[in-house]
Amino acid sequence: FFFSSRRRHTRLQGDWSSDVCSSDLVASTDGHVLRRNGTSVGFGTVTSAGIADGAITESKLSRTIETATSSKTADKDITVVDATGGSVTVTLPTGTTAGKVMVFKRKDASSNNVIIQRGGTDTIDGSTEWRLYHVYETLTMVSDGASPTSWYII
């Protein structure tokens, strides 16, 4: 999780080490998280007001999700595709804003096609489409907001 090449006795203030692993972290049901503020560590809540970049809003922190079992135009942030009943083509929306992130995940192991295709004259890393071949394969991309839009796989 966190790594440090320093020995335990040479650790500096603010230095995280491999001594901390995910099993040491406790999930909270009340929205509190462990956070660092300057030189102290304590508990607090995370909201957009606590994030340095004012461009990140509460609406950008939450994502919308949909399931596609037939061809459609994606209108949510995350699209889970189930091609068990036949091939599915998901078309990207046109006219998106810069920084729009979309995620596609294939959930079936069928031999049917799962195609993510451009909207209009947009491109996906310079191509017109992208295919998901394997069960649980995921595709994440971000829009540059230009016209036509270039979607970059990240």
Side-chain angles (χ1 to χ4, degrees), residues 127-146:
S127 298
T128 59
E129 67 180 34
W130 199 264
R131 293 177 183 245
L132 301 179
Y133 295 100
H134 308 286
V135 63
Y136 306 127
E137 184 175 358
T138 302
L139 172 67
T140 304
M141 59 181 86
V142 63
S143 166
D144 68 357

Side-chain angles (χ1 to χ4, degrees), residues 53 55-57 60 63 77 93-102 122 141-152 154:
D53 182 355
I56 298 176
T57 63
K60 290 182 182 175
R63 298 285 176 211
D77 301 312
T94 58
T96 59
T97 58
K100 169 77 172 165
V101 175
M102 298 198 79
D122 297 351
M141 59 181 86
V142 63
S143 166
D144 68 357
S147 182
T149 299
S150 290
W151 289 93
Y152 296 104
I154 54 174

Side-chain angles (χ1 to χ4, degrees), residues 17-127:
S17 77
S18 59
D19 294 351
V20 178
C21 66
S22 59
S23 63
D24 296 326
L25 304 176
V26 179
S28 171
T29 59
D30 61 2
H32 287 85
V33 295
L34 184 65
R35 58 192 273 188
R36 182 174 178 196
N37 182 8
T39 58
S40 63
V41 176
F43 286 93
T45 57
V46 176
T47 64
S48 60
I51 299 173
D53 182 355
I56 298 176
T57 63
E58 293 296 333
S59 65
K60 290 182 182 175
L61 293 174
S62 61
R63 298 285 176 211
T64 57
I65 188 168
E66 65 184 342
T67 300
T69 56
S70 60
S71 296
K72 69 178 307 294
T73 298
D75 58 356
K76 306 289 187 209
D77 301 312
I78 302 167
T79 303
V80 178
V81 182
D82 184 351
T84 303
S87 295
V88 177
T89 299
V90 180
T91 304
L92 293 169
T94 58
T96 59
T97 58
K100 169 77 172 165
V101 175
M102 298 198 79
V103 179
F104 301 91
K105 183 170 190 82
R106 182 180 186 141
K107 72 178 251 179
D108 69 280
S110 73
S111 61
N112 296 322
N113 292 320
V114 172
I115 302 169
I116 312 303
Q117 74 177 9
R118 69 182 181 180
T121 58
D122 297 351
T123 59
I124 305 167
D125 270 359
S127 298

